[in-house]
Amino acid sequence: MIQSILHQIWNQRRSNGWLFAELLIVFTLMWYCVDVLYGFIHAERLPKGYNLEHVYKIRISTNPTQFVACASEDSLQRFWFKPMEEVMRRIRQHPAVESAAMWMGTDAYTRRHMYQGYTVDSVRVVSANIRYVSPEYFHVMRIPVEQGRELFTAQGAASAEWNPVASPLPAVVTRDLADSLFRTSNGVVGSEFMDYYSGGLRYRVSAVCALQKSDDYARYEPFILTPFPEWFYRWQAVPDISIRVRPEADTEDFAARFCREMTPQLQVAPFYLFDIQSYREQKIERDAAEGITPYIRGARLIVMFFIFNVFIGLMGTFWFRTRHRRSEIALRMAMGSSRGRIRRQLLGEGLLLLTMAAIPALVICANIVMADATFTEATDAGWGRFSVCVVVVWGLMALMVIAGIWYPARQAMKVQPAEALHDE
């Protein structure tokens, strides 16, 4: 049957030539649009390396009128860190809070990044995002640990080994940072490396965690998580606080309710509650402020509008072409062909013509990929992605071809052959 269809396509090569060119161009353009859409969707669905569901960020601030200059370590403990510990204790005692942690450094869904350079041999430097975290941070953020699980307690928090005065300092590194530092990400727990810019401060890999990125559409970047540094205690820095809320208590009005209940309780000199916000709200605000939401929405609408127009246009082309062959269908029926055979012949002709046009289109698309002219800001343009997009495009266009052939062929086959030939 395929040989008969090829013979039919060749006999009608003049009219099929224009249709072949149309299918080739449409296939290439639609592949590019689907590839862009796939890039957005795939990047959004990739795990960020931590779980922000039911997680809120609390910001505390200091009251200048109650600020006390701490000249000694005793006064620093009494007037700064003891009140900070009391603030954390009261937050953890809130019935809706499952766990709470302090941290500083690179934040998700913001432009706030903190970088540092690390090295093994003092020659090759690897830049990484850094977060200084308290032991509970790993439990709050649900960070997947790939190696070194013995560092963590049964509740998921870092154990007593997470000591800011240890030497070398413990550090949890992402898999890509471990690979960049040690040329491998396996068996690196216990290995040591240095802070390149701070006079040889040494770290020891206590665990290796999953890859991390700072927002949905960003690429994975090296991250290091380590205890709070010495300057945090010396400079009286104010950390951020992240809390994980129990799922049953995470209602729409939780932030307002928390502020109402905790504002008077968190007025522990010199601290007070400044703001609480969920990471979902932080993502919405950041995407809106930087134009990410309109850009992605606009790109998706353009792609969907293009696909819809191609669907209508391509279906209309095959619809017109099938209706124009009404006399041919009638002649085939008069010669004894069944309706099913004619339908299969017409559908096979359309799908085979699409497949033939897809072959040179694939060559063009593959060259676009190799020229790095696709959407690669969020994800790599690999051959797996290329194959998925090709299959999706061929499937969509096959549906267009079938829709453009099926109904007009069905209508044409309802007409009596003698009547159709008489009209012709």
mmCIF file of all heavy atoms in Angstrom, residues 185-216:
data_model
loop_
_atom_site.group_PDB
_atom_site.id
_atom_site.type_symbol
_atom_site.label_atom_id
_atom_site.label_comp_id
_atom_site.label_asym_id
_atom_site.label_seq_id
_atom_site.Cartn_x
_atom_site.Cartn_y
_atom_site.Cartn_z
ATOM 1 N N SER A 185 32.232 13.681 42.346
ATOM 2 C CA SER A 185 31.269 13.964 43.408
ATOM 3 C C SER A 185 31.052 12.758 44.306
ATOM 4 O O SER A 185 30.264 12.813 45.249
ATOM 5 C CB SER A 185 29.927 14.402 42.802
ATOM 6 O OG SER A 185 29.411 13.386 41.946
ATOM 7 N N ASN A 186 31.744 11.673 44.033
ATOM 8 C CA ASN A 186 31.598 10.447 44.831
ATOM 9 C C ASN A 186 32.774 10.301 45.799
ATOM 10 O O ASN A 186 33.926 10.529 45.430
ATOM 11 C CB ASN A 186 31.533 9.223 43.910
ATOM 12 C CG ASN A 186 30.317 9.244 43.017
ATOM 13 O OD1 ASN A 186 29.227 9.624 43.451
ATOM 14 N ND2 ASN A 186 30.481 8.843 41.769
ATOM 15 N N GLY A 187 32.435 9.905 47.021
ATOM 16 C CA GLY A 187 33.484 9.631 47.999
ATOM 17 C C GLY A 187 34.259 10.845 48.452
ATOM 18 O O GLY A 187 35.440 10.726 48.799
ATOM 19 N N VAL A 188 33.626 12.025 48.444
ATOM 20 C CA VAL A 188 34.344 13.243 48.836
ATOM 21 C C VAL A 188 34.065 13.637 50.276
ATOM 22 O O VAL A 188 34.639 14.615 50.767
ATOM 23 C CB VAL A 188 33.984 14.415 47.895
ATOM 24 C CG1 VAL A 188 34.391 14.094 46.470
ATOM 25 C CG2 VAL A 188 32.499 14.743 47.975
ATOM 26 N N VAL A 189 33.157 12.917 50.968
ATOM 27 C CA VAL A 189 32.878 13.249 52.368
ATOM 28 C C VAL A 189 34.152 13.062 53.179
ATOM 29 O O VAL A 189 34.809 12.024 53.113
ATOM 30 C CB VAL A 189 31.747 12.371 52.916
ATOM 31 C CG1 VAL A 189 31.555 12.609 54.412
ATOM 32 C CG2 VAL A 189 30.449 12.640 52.168
ATOM 33 N N GLY A 190 34.521 14.089 53.915
ATOM 34 C CA GLY A 190 35.756 14.084 54.679
ATOM 35 C C GLY A 190 36.893 14.814 53.991
ATOM 36 O O GLY A 190 37.912 15.114 54.633
ATOM 37 N N SER A 191 36.741 15.122 52.708
ATOM 38 C CA SER A 191 37.784 15.853 51.979
ATOM 39 C C SER A 191 37.795 17.308 52.427
ATOM 40 O O SER A 191 36.772 17.873 52.840
ATOM 41 C CB SER A 191 37.532 15.769 50.475
ATOM 42 O OG SER A 191 37.509 14.421 50.039
ATOM 43 N N GLU A 192 38.951 17.934 52.320
ATOM 44 C CA GLU A 192 39.112 19.311 52.772
ATOM 45 C C GLU A 192 39.398 20.242 51.596
ATOM 46 O O GLU A 192 39.973 19.834 50.585
ATOM 47 C CB GLU A 192 40.242 19.415 53.802
ATOM 48 C CG GLU A 192 39.946 18.667 55.085
ATOM 49 C CD GLU A 192 41.001 18.903 56.149
ATOM 50 O OE1 GLU A 192 41.867 19.809 55.952
ATOM 51 O OE2 GLU A 192 40.979 18.212 57.186
ATOM 52 N N PHE A 193 38.954 21.485 51.751
ATOM 53 C CA PHE A 193 39.247 22.533 50.775
ATOM 54 C C PHE A 193 39.362 23.853 51.523
ATOM 55 O O PHE A 193 39.117 23.913 52.731
ATOM 56 C CB PHE A 193 38.174 22.590 49.680
ATOM 57 C CG PHE A 193 36.779 22.865 50.189
ATOM 58 C CD1 PHE A 193 36.245 24.141 50.130
ATOM 59 C CD2 PHE A 193 35.994 21.836 50.705
ATOM 60 C CE1 PHE A 193 34.964 24.401 50.576
ATOM 61 C CE2 PHE A 193 34.710 22.088 51.168
ATOM 62 C CZ PHE A 193 34.192 23.372 51.105
ATOM 63 N N MET A 194 39.722 24.925 50.810
ATOM 64 C CA MET A 194 39.995 26.208 51.462
ATOM 65 C C MET A 194 39.152 27.330 50.866
ATOM 66 O O MET A 194 38.739 27.273 49.708
ATOM 67 C CB MET A 194 41.474 26.577 51.294
ATOM 68 C CG MET A 194 42.446 25.638 51.956
ATOM 69 S SD MET A 194 44.149 26.222 51.723
ATOM 70 C CE MET A 194 44.320 26.063 49.947
ATOM 71 N N ASP A 195 38.938 28.348 51.686
ATOM 72 C CA ASP A 195 38.381 29.615 51.217
ATOM 73 C C ASP A 195 39.522 30.417 50.601
ATOM 74 O O ASP A 195 40.485 30.768 51.284
ATOM 75 C CB ASP A 195 37.755 30.360 52.394
ATOM 76 C CG ASP A 195 36.977 31.597 51.945
ATOM 77 O OD1 ASP A 195 37.403 32.241 50.979
ATOM 78 O OD2 ASP A 195 35.956 31.899 52.574
ATOM 79 N N TYR A 196 39.419 30.692 49.315
ATOM 80 C CA TYR A 196 40.545 31.291 48.599
ATOM 81 C C TYR A 196 40.832 32.722 49.051
ATOM 82 O O TYR A 196 41.977 33.172 49.000
ATOM 83 C CB TYR A 196 40.238 31.267 47.103
ATOM 84 C CG TYR A 196 41.375 31.744 46.233
ATOM 85 C CD1 TYR A 196 42.472 30.926 45.958
ATOM 86 C CD2 TYR A 196 41.362 33.021 45.688
ATOM 87 C CE1 TYR A 196 43.518 31.363 45.168
ATOM 88 C CE2 TYR A 196 42.402 33.477 44.888
ATOM 89 C CZ TYR A 196 43.472 32.640 44.629
ATOM 90 O OH TYR A 196 44.505 33.087 43.844
ATOM 91 N N TYR A 197 39.782 33.456 49.493
ATOM 92 C CA TYR A 197 39.947 34.885 49.750
ATOM 93 C C TYR A 197 40.025 35.247 51.230
ATOM 94 O O TYR A 197 39.996 36.422 51.574
ATOM 95 C CB TYR A 197 38.787 35.668 49.125
ATOM 96 C CG TYR A 197 38.712 35.504 47.625
ATOM 97 C CD1 TYR A 197 37.733 34.707 47.048
ATOM 98 C CD2 TYR A 197 39.623 36.137 46.791
ATOM 99 C CE1 TYR A 197 37.663 34.552 45.671
ATOM 100 C CE2 TYR A 197 39.557 35.994 45.417
ATOM 101 C CZ TYR A 197 38.580 35.194 44.874
ATOM 102 O OH TYR A 197 38.519 35.041 43.503
ATOM 103 N N SER A 198 40.086 34.285 52.118
ATOM 104 C CA SER A 198 40.070 34.642 53.543
ATOM 105 C C SER A 198 41.256 34.044 54.291
ATOM 106 O O SER A 198 41.112 33.584 55.419
ATOM 107 C CB SER A 198 38.757 34.188 54.181
ATOM 108 O OG SER A 198 38.669 32.778 54.143
ATOM 109 N N GLY A 199 42.385 34.046 53.669
ATOM 110 C CA GLY A 199 43.598 33.640 54.376
ATOM 111 C C GLY A 199 43.672 32.176 54.716
ATOM 112 O O GLY A 199 44.207 31.804 55.761
ATOM 113 N N GLY A 200 43.092 31.320 53.866
ATOM 114 C CA GLY A 200 43.254 29.881 54.072
ATOM 115 C C GLY A 200 42.306 29.261 55.061
ATOM 116 O O GLY A 200 42.641 28.231 55.661
ATOM 117 N N LEU A 201 41.123 29.855 55.296
ATOM 118 C CA LEU A 201 40.117 29.232 56.154
ATOM 119 C C LEU A 201 39.734 27.873 55.555
ATOM 120 O O LEU A 201 39.336 27.782 54.397
ATOM 121 C CB LEU A 201 38.883 30.132 56.255
ATOM 122 C CG LEU A 201 37.730 29.624 57.109
ATOM 123 C CD1 LEU A 201 38.151 29.483 58.560
ATOM 124 C CD2 LEU A 201 36.524 30.538 56.979
ATOM 125 N N ARG A 202 39.821 26.819 56.350
ATOM 126 C CA ARG A 202 39.648 25.475 55.816
ATOM 127 C C ARG A 202 38.253 24.925 56.137
ATOM 128 O O ARG A 202 37.662 25.231 57.179
ATOM 129 C CB ARG A 202 40.719 24.527 56.381
ATOM 130 C CG ARG A 202 42.148 24.950 56.058
ATOM 131 C CD ARG A 202 43.127 23.822 56.295
ATOM 132 N NE ARG A 202 42.913 22.707 55.380
ATOM 133 C CZ ARG A 202 43.381 22.660 54.134
ATOM 134 N NH1 ARG A 202 44.095 23.671 53.645
ATOM 135 N NH2 ARG A 202 43.143 21.602 53.364
ATOM 136 N N TYR A 203 37.767 24.098 55.204
ATOM 137 C CA TYR A 203 36.469 23.446 55.347
ATOM 138 C C TYR A 203 36.643 21.947 55.134
ATOM 139 O O TYR A 203 37.546 21.499 54.433
ATOM 140 C CB TYR A 203 35.465 23.975 54.309
ATOM 141 C CG TYR A 203 35.083 25.417 54.502
ATOM 142 C CD1 TYR A 203 35.826 26.439 53.907
ATOM 143 C CD2 TYR A 203 33.966 25.768 55.257
ATOM 144 C CE1 TYR A 203 35.472 27.763 54.071
ATOM 145 C CE2 TYR A 203 33.610 27.093 55.424
ATOM 146 C CZ TYR A 203 34.367 28.085 54.835
ATOM 147 O OH TYR A 203 34.013 29.396 55.004
ATOM 148 N N ARG A 204 35.747 21.197 55.730
ATOM 149 C CA ARG A 204 35.698 19.757 55.509
ATOM 150 C C ARG A 204 34.306 19.380 55.009
ATOM 151 O O ARG A 204 33.297 19.825 55.575
ATOM 152 C CB ARG A 204 36.000 18.990 56.803
ATOM 153 C CG ARG A 204 36.047 17.479 56.630
ATOM 154 C CD ARG A 204 36.463 16.797 57.932
ATOM 155 N NE ARG A 204 35.489 17.064 58.983
ATOM 156 C CZ ARG A 204 34.348 16.376 59.139
ATOM 157 N NH1 ARG A 204 34.052 15.395 58.304
ATOM 158 N NH2 ARG A 204 33.543 16.668 60.128
ATOM 159 N N VAL A 205 34.242 18.604 53.946
ATOM 160 C CA VAL A 205 32.958 18.191 53.381
ATOM 161 C C VAL A 205 32.283 17.214 54.340
ATOM 162 O O VAL A 205 32.767 16.092 54.549
ATOM 163 C CB VAL A 205 33.144 17.543 51.992
ATOM 164 C CG1 VAL A 205 31.802 17.070 51.445
ATOM 165 C CG2 VAL A 205 33.804 18.518 51.023
ATOM 166 N N SER A 206 31.179 17.656 54.942
ATOM 167 C CA SER A 206 30.429 16.796 55.854
ATOM 168 C C SER A 206 29.326 16.035 55.141
ATOM 169 O O SER A 206 28.899 14.967 55.606
ATOM 170 C CB SER A 206 29.818 17.637 56.983
ATOM 171 O OG SER A 206 30.824 18.291 57.724
ATOM 172 N N ALA A 207 28.836 16.591 54.024
ATOM 173 C CA ALA A 207 27.775 15.927 53.261
ATOM 174 C C ALA A 207 27.726 16.546 51.868
ATOM 175 O O ALA A 207 28.184 17.673 51.652
ATOM 176 C CB ALA A 207 26.422 16.055 53.956
ATOM 177 N N VAL A 208 27.162 15.803 50.938
ATOM 178 C CA VAL A 208 26.923 16.281 49.571
ATOM 179 C C VAL A 208 25.422 16.243 49.340
ATOM 180 O O VAL A 208 24.764 15.213 49.568
ATOM 181 C CB VAL A 208 27.646 15.401 48.527
ATOM 182 C CG1 VAL A 208 27.323 15.874 47.112
ATOM 183 C CG2 VAL A 208 29.149 15.426 48.772
ATOM 184 N N CYS A 209 24.858 17.367 48.906
ATOM 185 C CA CYS A 209 23.417 17.459 48.689
ATOM 186 C C CYS A 209 23.109 17.568 47.202
ATOM 187 O O CYS A 209 24.002 17.675 46.361
ATOM 188 C CB CYS A 209 22.824 18.645 49.457
ATOM 189 S SG CYS A 209 23.407 20.256 48.906
ATOM 190 N N ALA A 210 21.829 17.560 46.884
ATOM 191 C CA ALA A 210 21.395 17.616 45.491
ATOM 192 C C ALA A 210 21.700 18.982 44.878
ATOM 193 O O ALA A 210 21.964 19.961 45.587
ATOM 194 C CB ALA A 210 19.896 17.328 45.404
ATOM 195 N N LEU A 211 21.656 19.051 43.562
ATOM 196 C CA LEU A 211 21.871 20.307 42.851
ATOM 197 C C LEU A 211 20.830 21.332 43.269
ATOM 198 O O LEU A 211 19.679 20.991 43.546
ATOM 199 C CB LEU A 211 21.781 20.076 41.344
ATOM 200 C CG LEU A 211 22.800 19.105 40.736
ATOM 201 C CD1 LEU A 211 22.511 18.901 39.256
ATOM 202 C CD2 LEU A 211 24.217 19.613 40.926
ATOM 203 N N GLN A 212 21.229 22.612 43.286
ATOM 204 C CA GLN A 212 20.322 23.683 43.699
ATOM 205 C C GLN A 212 20.339 24.825 42.685
ATOM 206 O O GLN A 212 21.329 25.046 41.993
ATOM 207 C CB GLN A 212 20.729 24.228 45.074
ATOM 208 C CG GLN A 212 20.567 23.234 46.205
ATOM 209 C CD GLN A 212 20.738 23.867 47.567
ATOM 210 O OE1 GLN A 212 20.677 25.094 47.715
ATOM 211 N NE2 GLN A 212 20.952 23.046 48.587
ATOM 212 N N LYS A 213 19.224 25.537 42.634
ATOM 213 C CA LYS A 213 19.139 26.752 41.826
ATOM 214 C C LYS A 213 18.307 27.767 42.587
ATOM 215 O O LYS A 213 17.517 27.418 43.482
ATOM 216 C CB LYS A 213 18.544 26.476 40.453
ATOM 217 C CG LYS A 213 17.181 25.797 40.449
ATOM 218 C CD LYS A 213 16.719 25.547 39.030
ATOM 219 C CE LYS A 213 15.333 24.925 38.995
ATOM 220 N NZ LYS A 213 14.821 24.778 37.617
ATOM 221 N N SER A 214 18.456 29.048 42.218
ATOM 222 C CA SER A 214 17.864 30.118 43.021
ATOM 223 C C SER A 214 16.436 30.458 42.627
ATOM 224 O O SER A 214 15.752 31.153 43.370
ATOM 225 C CB SER A 214 18.729 31.384 42.927
ATOM 226 O OG SER A 214 18.912 31.760 41.576
ATOM 227 N N ASP A 215 15.959 30.020 41.466
ATOM 228 C CA ASP A 215 14.560 30.206 41.101
ATOM 229 C C ASP A 215 14.182 29.176 40.056
ATOM 230 O O ASP A 215 15.010 28.396 39.595
ATOM 231 C CB ASP A 215 14.274 31.636 40.621
ATOM 232 C CG ASP A 215 15.013 31.989 39.347
ATOM 233 O OD1 ASP A 215 14.682 31.414 38.298
ATOM 234 O OD2 ASP A 215 15.918 32.834 39.394
ATOM 235 N N ASP A 216 12.906 29.191 39.652
ATOM 236 C CA ASP A 216 12.395 28.139 38.783
ATOM 237 C C ASP A 216 13.077 28.100 37.424
ATOM 238 O O ASP A 216 13.259 27.022 36.843
ATOM 239 C CB ASP A 216 10.883 28.327 38.580
ATOM 240 C CG ASP A 216 10.114 28.111 39.876
ATOM 241 O OD1 ASP A 216 10.661 27.454 40.777
ATOM 242 O OD2 ASP A 216 8.975 28.609 39.990
#
